[in-house]
Amino acid sequence: MSLPKLKRKMLGEMLIAAGLLTPEQLETAILEQKAKGGRIGAILRSLKYVTEEEIIKVLGSQMGIPHMSLENVIIDQDVLKEIPETTARRYKVFPVSKRGKTLTVAMSDPLNVFAIDEIKKMTGLEVQAVVTTENDLFRVIEQFYGMNSSLNDALKEVQPVLSSDNDLENKSKRDALVEDAPVIKLVNSIISQAVQEGASDIHIEPEADTIRIRFRVDGLLREVMQSPKSLHSGLCSRVKVMANLDISERRISQDGRIQITLREREIDIRVNTLPTIFGEKIVLRLLDKSGLFLNMEQLGFSAGNLSKFNKLLKMPYGLMLVTGPTGSGKTTAGYRAYRKR
């Protein structure tokens, strides 16, 4: 029990030495931790004493722990197998690479010696820790573990139900498929990953033998996975149930809406289905409501254009056109302009 206390003291001392924290603030955080539990780094961030980036910089400079960005990281599937998904989520770790007997692991808290010891025992390898942000960790864990494990579970458990397309005409089998836990997990993983990557749209597109799933990020569609065609009916039915659409109607287009809360962020999803020769195509438009309350200064206007925009908003009549590609911020700008008035 003394080791975690020593660890907390080390982190606090490092932040104080770097001039980012006062002894009084550290004492307040320790009292908060005793009352509510949790890690001291997370408590310091919740109290807004330090940011995650400041903690990472301090760890890197004073402990010699390198920082690694997991943006566009490419992971060997064999490396991913070294740490199970449950362990990765429990300790907030992610296996990055393996060289010889050394496994490089990205962590949001590289001072967590319990996690490092557990991974050493589990893998039989030496562990080299690198530090990254929690946001990066959550994103890659969802990306590399969430969808893959969900897909594998769905294939194993749903396949017996999907012996043929004709079976899906049977209402009891179709209803059972909609409530199947692996299908629910797969749909949730797809939406969660899309939100983490800042996607504005999710496209579920059936082809002759497969289903292609693509995300639109920064206006560009990017394929994130392909799954067997046998999962198509299950995915479509689950999305339709979430959007309060008719799951038995597959010959005409339908429109619906889903509202979810993901990690304390309210997400509004508009759903559109469209029949094609290979089956129904589904498009989900994602709108993160937390982004609707940005200040005007955070929308990316230059100082001159912001002044002109604000002047136009004060005019009693007239028409203003807001145009741009998907995901460029038209809705966000419209909401902010409305609230400004």
Side-chain angles (χ1 to χ4, degrees), residues 1-6 8 114:
M1 296 300 293
S2 61
L3 190 56
K5 184 176 181 180
L6 175 63
R8 294 195 295 268
F114 294 116

Side-chain angles (χ1 to χ4, degrees), residues 37 150 183 210 228 283:
S150 298
V183 173
T210 62
V283 177

Side-chain angles (χ1 to χ4, degrees), residues 161 167-179 233 237 247-248 250:
V161 182
D167 287 340
L168 292 174
E169 297 298 334
N170 184 297
K171 187 178 185 300
S172 62
K173 288 188 176 183
R174 185 170 61 244
D175 291 346
L177 180 61
V178 170
E179 298 302 325
S233 294
S237 296
I247 65 172
S248 64
R250 288 172 282 174

Side-chain angles (χ1 to χ4, degrees), residues 123-139:
T123 63
L125 302 171
E126 290 298 316
V127 175
Q128 178 181 351
V130 296
V131 63
T132 191
T133 64
E134 282 193 4
N135 285 339
D136 260 1
L137 272 177
F138 285 136
R139 179 178 56 78

